[in-house]
Structure formats: C-alpha cells, structure tokens
Amino acid sequence: MAKPFSPLAAVSVAGLIALADLVTKAAIVQLLAYGQQIDLFPLLNIVHAINQGAAFGLLATAGGWQRYLFIVVAVLASILIVRMIRKPETGSAERIALAMILGGAVGNLVDRTARMGVVDWIDVHVGAHHWPAFNIADIGITVGAAVIVLHTLFGDRAAPSVSDKTR
C-alpha cells in the first residue's frame, strides 16, 4: 500500500509551485518589455502581460480596489487550504490538489502584493484567437481544482466499500 502524502510534503509542493511561478515571472519582467512577445511555436508565445483582475481578467478595469479584494481573498483562501491540508482525514489526492492550489494562490498573492497586478506570460493561441495569458500559478490553481472536481465525482467509486471488504 502506498504511503499517504503528508501535510509537510503538500506544503513543500506548494512552495515549489510558488517558487517556480515567482522565478519565471521575475525572468519575464527582466527579459521582456511590457507587451513584448516571443513566438515559440505555432500555438504558443511568451508575452509580458499584467493582469490587474482575477482569472481571465475578471474585474481588471474596476479601478484598483479589486487588488485589495484579491489580496484578502488569497490570504483567507490560503489559510483555509492549509487547514484542509492538515486534517488527518484529507486523502493524498486531495492533499496534492490543495497543494497545487495553495502554491498558485501564494505565487499570485506575492506578485499582486509587489505589483499592481499579476505577471502573465504564457500565450496560447490558434491563429489570431488568443486564450487569455496565464502563468504557472494559474496552472497550479486550475489543475488542482480539476483534480478536486474529478476526485469528488469519481474518486470514491474506485475504493471498495466496507461491506465489500468483509465479503
């Protein structure tokens, strides 16, 4: 039987995601002028963009107050996620997913606190149609949330019930 994913391992994963996010954002700020774009592949560019809103630019043009709202939400969410990670009944898949969300939240929190917004730099597109630019923190949050949804929908079906074990 596999050893459960510990709370300390989860916090370490979160720290690695936040670190990778912040290092890549710093490199983009250092190497590219704001708005500059580097074409990598037919469907992928690197771009220096600032998102003052939430995911996909939600509330980006709200006038500045949203920055403080997003900071407060990120702090409260991070506290809640750490508490969830520490619960003994939290399973390994949930812990890993929560760690990914925590790492992304912390990465974007640090960036949003230091700047007026979050540095986004991954630009996926098909021809002239671009997905909103994103970063490693956004990937952690999105993948972590997807794992939680999938685990909620399908995770318990794979585990045998107590009555199955007694047969």
Side-chain angles (χ1 to χ4, degrees):
M1 176 168 247
K3 184 177 178 183
F5 197 72
S6 74
L8 180 58
V11 172
S12 298
V13 166
L16 289 173
I17 290 171
L19 180 64
D21 178 62
L22 293 169
V23 167
T24 55
K25 289 173 179 175
I28 294 300
V29 169
Q30 182 70 32
L31 300 173
L32 273 67
Y34 177 74
Q36 185 178 354
Q37 173 180 302
I38 298 172
D39 299 332
L40 285 182
F41 303 107
L43 303 174
L44 180 66
N45 300 330
I46 292 177
V47 64
H48 180 177
I50 301 288
N51 179 2
Q52 294 180 340
F56 311 117
L58 179 70
L59 296 177
T61 59
W65 62 267
Q66 73 276 21
R67 175 182 181 221
Y68 303 102
L69 172 67
F70 296 143
I71 288 171
V72 169
V73 168
V75 168
L76 294 175
S78 296
I79 292 168
L80 177 64
I81 290 169
V82 168
R83 291 181 68 171
M84 292 168 67
I85 286 171
R86 293 183 64 201
K87 286 184 172 185
E89 63 270 15
T90 301
S92 292
E94 295 163 296
R95 257 192 203 122
I96 292 168
L98 290 167
M100 295 173 77
I101 296 169
L102 179 62
V106 169
N108 279 342
L109 171 65
V110 170
D111 202 37
R112 190 177 306 280
T113 302
R115 298 179 174 83
M116 288 305 294
V118 173
V119 174
D120 285 331
W121 58 273
I122 302 168
D123 176 30
V124 176
H125 64 93
V126 176
H129 303 286
H130 293 257
W131 187 260
F134 55 97
N135 56 48
I136 291 175
D138 298 336
I139 294 169
I141 292 167
T142 302
V143 172
V147 168
I148 287 174
V149 168
L150 291 172
H151 184 346
T152 300
L153 293 175
F154 306 110
D156 292 338
R157 292 183 190 178
S161 69
V162 173
S163 62
D164 290 341
K165 291 179 185 178
T166 58
R167 289 185 198 172

